[in-house]
Amino acid sequence: RHFGVPFIPIMGGRGCWGSCSYCAITSTLRDARSHGGAKMLRHRSPENVAREMYDLCHRAGGRALFCFHDDNFLLPRPKDSSARVRAIREAFDALGGGDVALIGKCRPDSVTPELMKELRRLGVLRLYVGVENASQRGADHLGRKTQQAYADAALRACRDAGIFVCYNLLLFEPDATLDDVRENIAFMRKNAQHPVNFCRAEPYVGTPLHRDVAARQTLGGSYLGFNYRIE
């Protein structure tokens, strides 16, 4: 319970369209796709999600915070995100509804000011935005492409819409430089009103990051946790 309100984890879908080098999620799905044709994105129907929400909410007394552990709560196109969340909420309300709020995680490029305002009206209370690395050079090392161009705007859009937002930074990675670290610290200072956690990029087995680092240097540790040298 959070402040007396039941906190309920739920999953409405799995997968991601990204190609980040450190991500075990996309690496697993690519491997599955090459062996058996698995989809990179899979979603339960809004009606199916709403039915589970309704049952869980009313077992909990009619109030709940639903934390969606989908790899991406939002979709690549804002209009698709809007339609899906709205369909879930409408199906939930059609069953009899309840006093609920929604929590999820997303990529910065999935966020727009208009979408955040609508999501707030639909009951989204909190979003975790995967910034990952605020330095474009660091982002390039991690296969993040253009995500950094959206990071500041994504946090601001959530803030302006009244959605509590937190984010993360993979501050250290094999090719990180002191300048990269300084850029990430500057980003944290600029966005000091938002909670952040920072750590290193983990070379999970089978990911492009793991293969690349293993080819360049001797990795310490084991699959339970590899150690590497920052060049």
Side-chain angles (χ1 to χ4, degrees):
R1 291 176 178 267
H2 289 189
F3 294 100
V5 180
F7 181 88
I8 302 175
I10 189 170
M11 289 192 75
R14 296 185 68 179
C16 181
W17 57 93
S19 56
C20 305
S21 65
Y22 55 87
C23 184
I25 296 164
T26 53
S27 296
T28 299
L29 290 171
R30 279 194 299 270
D31 187 57
R33 184 174 60 179
S34 67
H35 285 83
K39 294 180 180 179
M40 294 299 286
L41 280 173
R42 290 176 288 167
H43 289 108
R44 297 165 59 189
S45 72
E47 294 76 19
N48 183 274
V49 175
R51 168 58 66 181
E52 182 180 4
M53 287 174 59
Y54 180 79
D55 290 344
L56 291 172
C57 177
H58 284 270
R59 278 190 228 169
R63 300 182 74 206
L65 289 165
F66 282 102
C67 183
F68 281 80
H69 284 289
D70 303 26
D71 304 316
N72 284 289
F73 182 58
L74 303 183
L75 297 167
R77 295 191 300 178
K79 68 176 185 179
D80 293 336
S81 298
S82 171
R84 178 166 173 79
V85 177
R86 192 184 324 111
I88 290 172
R89 190 65 201 242
E90 288 175 353
F92 174 77
D93 291 339
L95 291 169
D99 184 13
V100 300
L102 312 179
I103 298 167
K105 29 185 190 183
C106 64
R107 291 160 58 93
D109 61 346
S110 298
V111 173
T112 67
E114 296 76 17
L115 176 61
M116 293 304 101
K117 290 172 185 174
E118 180 173 9
L119 293 185
R120 185 66 189 88
R121 289 192 294 269
L122 291 169
V124 174
L125 192 70
R126 186 175 93 203
L127 280 177
Y128 168 88
V129 177
V131 175
E132 311 297 349
N133 199 299
S135 160
Q136 186 57 57
R137 180 181 141 88
D140 291 342
H141 296 159
L142 298 172
R144 291 288 292 167
K145 297 184 178 175
T146 61
Q147 290 300 298
Q148 280 42 56
Y150 301 93
D152 275 309
L155 298 185
R156 183 168 59 252
C158 291
R159 184 168 67 244
D160 291 347
I163 294 174
F164 179 85
V165 62
C166 52
Y167 69 99
N168 75 310
L169 292 173
L170 300 178
L171 190 61
F172 303 105
E173 41 87 10
D175 294 301
T177 67
L178 289 176
D179 284 340
D180 298 335
V181 173
R182 289 187 186 100
E183 282 190 59
N184 279 282
I185 292 173
F187 184 87
M188 284 190 275
R189 288 186 184 279
K190 184 165 59 171
N191 293 285
Q193 64 270 61
H194 302 301
V196 56
N197 72 283
F198 62 90
C199 56
R200 70 171 192 171
E202 294 293 334
Y204 296 119
V205 173
T207 60
L209 179 64
H210 174 260
R211 293 196 300 270
D212 176 58
V213 178
R216 289 195 281 156
Q217 61 178 269
T218 300
L219 290 171
S222 70
Y223 68 92
L224 297 175
F226 285 105
N227 298 318
Y228 59 81
R229 183 179 66 252
I230 298 177
E231 295 289 349

